[in-house]
Amino acid sequence: MFQQSKRTLAVAVAAAGLALPISGVALAAAQSVDSTTTSSPSAQSSGTPPAGNGPTAEQRAARRAQRVGDVAAKLGIPTEQLQGAIDSVRLDRLTERLTARVTAGKITQSQADAIIAKAKAGEWPSRGAGRHHR
């Protein structure tokens, strides 16, 4: 039963086009911010993102949190339950990638353990983190 629920959630997440990673902190922050607001007063008045190459990390996190909430509502489950399933899948994939890097001698087991511990605490590595260790 649990495996079927996990698969159903994974399919729903994929169908919604969600990026799997989103921390509980970002979810909490996004729930307290209107999805139409931004952190920059100039961005609010002009409707464009602040200077740079696109939306800020906070804006992206808020959008991801909104999508998770929308999917959870469609599934009729608590947002926290969906976020827990997403984080579980994300941790599994991170562990697999780190295990492969340890096996290939690119990082040590203690480095992998430290990354996993941080992820479990909600501090997920950024995309591409650790790729310079080739």
Side-chain angles (χ1 to χ4, degrees), residues 82-105:
L82 178 57
Q83 187 58 58
I86 291 169
D87 288 345
S88 176
V89 169
R90 188 175 185 198
L91 185 61
D92 290 347
R93 289 183 177 175
L94 176 63
T95 302
E96 289 171 8
R97 286 192 313 270
L98 291 172
T99 299
R101 294 187 65 77
V102 168
T103 301

Side-chain angles (χ1 to χ4, degrees), residues 6-44:
K6 198 171 179 180
R7 270 187 248 123
T8 301
L9 288 175
V11 169
V13 169
L18 291 174
L20 285 178
I22 162 173
S23 71
V25 174
L27 178 61
Q31 289 174 338
S32 66
V33 175
D34 181 345
S35 65
T36 61
T37 63
T38 63
S39 59
S40 166
S42 63
Q44 290 176 358

Side-chain angles (χ1 to χ4, degrees), residues 71-126:
V71 171
K74 284 211 182 257
L75 290 172
I77 62 173
T79 301
E80 296 78 17
Q81 182 180 355
L82 178 57
Q83 187 58 58
I86 291 169
D87 288 345
S88 176
V89 169
R90 188 175 185 198
L91 185 61
D92 290 347
R93 289 183 177 175
L94 176 63
T95 302
E96 289 171 8
R97 286 192 313 270
L98 291 172
T99 299
R101 294 187 65 77
V102 168
T103 301
K106 295 182 179 184
I107 63 173
T108 65
Q109 184 62 53
S110 63
Q111 288 171 317
D113 292 342
I115 294 168
I116 291 169
K118 284 183 177 183
K120 286 180 178 179
E123 189 178 327
W124 294 94
S126 62

